Amino acid sequence: MATLRLKPLIAGNWKMNGFRSALNEILAMGNAFDHGLAARLDLLICPPTTLLYTAAATAIGTRIAIGAQDCHAQASGAYTGDISAAMLSDTGATHVILGHSERRSLHKETDALVRAKAQAAQGVNLTAIVCVGETRAERDAGKAESVVRRQLRGSIPTHSNPQNLVVAYEPVWAIGTGLTPTIADVAQMHAAIRAQLRSILGREAGQGVRILYGGSVKPGNAAELLSVENVNGALVGGASLKAQDFMAIAQACP
Ligand code: PGA
C-alpha cells in the first residue's frame, strides 16, 4: 500500500549529556532552523531533565520543540527520584522518548511498563516517542521482525493517533556503534512496522503515525536513510550533540 508523505521529524536524544552551556547549541540550531526548513520538517531536542525548563524557554520563538527522555507511569506519589509526565509538560516539553533500548536493558523496562508510561504521557497531551528494535542476536536468528512486532503490540496504547504517538525503530546493535542496517533491511522493517501500526491503530491512524529510524545516523548517511519509504524522520543520539551535525542531518532530509 502506498503511503502518503508525512512531515519528517528529526529528533535529537542527548541522553545523559549536556550542561547549561549546551543550551547555546539549541540557540544555534534555532537560528539555523529557518522558515524554509521549518515548513519541510519538525525539529525536536530531548536534553537531560535538568535542562528541560531552560531549554523550552530558550527554544521559544525558534520553532524547535523540546522533549524529555523518560517519565514515570504514575501521575504523582511516593516515587523518590522519579518524574511524572505532567511535570515534564509543566517545563514546556511537548514530547517524551519512552522504551529506549538503554532503558529497556539497563532499567529492565518491559513492554507493559512502556505502554503505561505512554498512556501517562498521552494523558497530559505529550507525544510519546516509543522506541523498538532488535538485538544483534535476534537479527542473526531471523527474529528481528517478530521481536519488533511483539514490542509494538505490547508497548503502544491502542487509542494512539498521529498527534500523540511517534514510533522509533532503533536496532540495538546500531546504537552508538557506527553500524547501520542495509537500506533494504531498513525498508523491510519500516514496512513491517507500518503494517503493524495499521493493524493496532486502524488504517487511518496507522498510516499517519511517523516512524523514525535511529542508530548511528550521521550527516554522511542521513540522506540515504531518510529517503527510504516509511522512514518519516530520525532519532539521533551522538550526532545531535553538535548543532552543526544535527542541522546537517536536518538539511539532508529529502
Ligand atoms: P546514536 O544513538 O545516534 O548515537 O547511535 C541513537 C539513539 O540511541 O537514540
Side-chain angles (χ1 to χ4, degrees), residues 49-229:
T49 314
T50 47
L51 293 182
L52 276 179
Y53 179 81
T54 327
T58 304
I60 287 173
T62 67
R63 298 167 180 241
I64 293 180
I66 299 297
Q69 300 172 16
D70 180 45
C71 72
H72 198 276
Q74 298 299 323
S76 62
Y79 302 101
T80 301
D82 282 316
I83 295 186
S84 74
M87 290 167 178
L88 298 179
S89 174
D90 193 41
T91 68
T94 51
H95 294 66
V96 56
I97 298 170
L98 295 169
H100 188 282
S101 74
E102 286 150 17
R103 297 220 49 100
R104 287 179 186 266
S105 64
L106 302 172
H107 294 265
K108 308 281 175 274
E109 293 197 0
T110 61
D111 289 336
L113 179 61
V114 175
R115 171 155 47 196
K117 290 182 173 196
Q119 268 163 343
Q122 292 170 343
V124 294
N125 294 324
L126 292 176
T127 299
I129 302 178
V130 173
C131 302
V132 294
E134 81 287 355
T135 61
R136 181 79 249 177
E138 287 163 342
R139 175 157 288 271
D140 289 345
K143 293 184 185 154
E145 272 185 39
S146 61
V147 165
V148 167
R149 266 199 292 270
R150 192 201 65 224
Q151 289 175 332
L152 288 168
R153 219 167 261 281
S155 311
I156 287 178
T158 46
H159 292 101
S160 302
N161 60 53
Q163 281 69 49
N164 66 19
L165 177 71
V166 172
V167 169
Y169 168 58
E170 300 203 302
V172 177
W173 51 273
I175 294 174
T177 59
L179 303 171
T180 50
T182 65
I183 292 301
D185 284 345
V186 172
Q188 192 176 331
M189 183 61 86
H190 279 243
I193 293 172
R194 177 66 66 208
Q196 180 80 354
L197 287 175
R198 281 196 299 261
S199 149
I200 298 171
L201 305 177
R203 192 173 176 282
E204 203 179 322
Q207 284 291 108
V209 168
R210 291 185 281 194
I211 308 170
L212 313 185
Y213 168 79
S216 297
V217 177
K218 302 184 273 274
N221 62 18
E224 197 180 23
L225 288 163
L226 288 165
S227 59
V228 176
E229 189 167 7

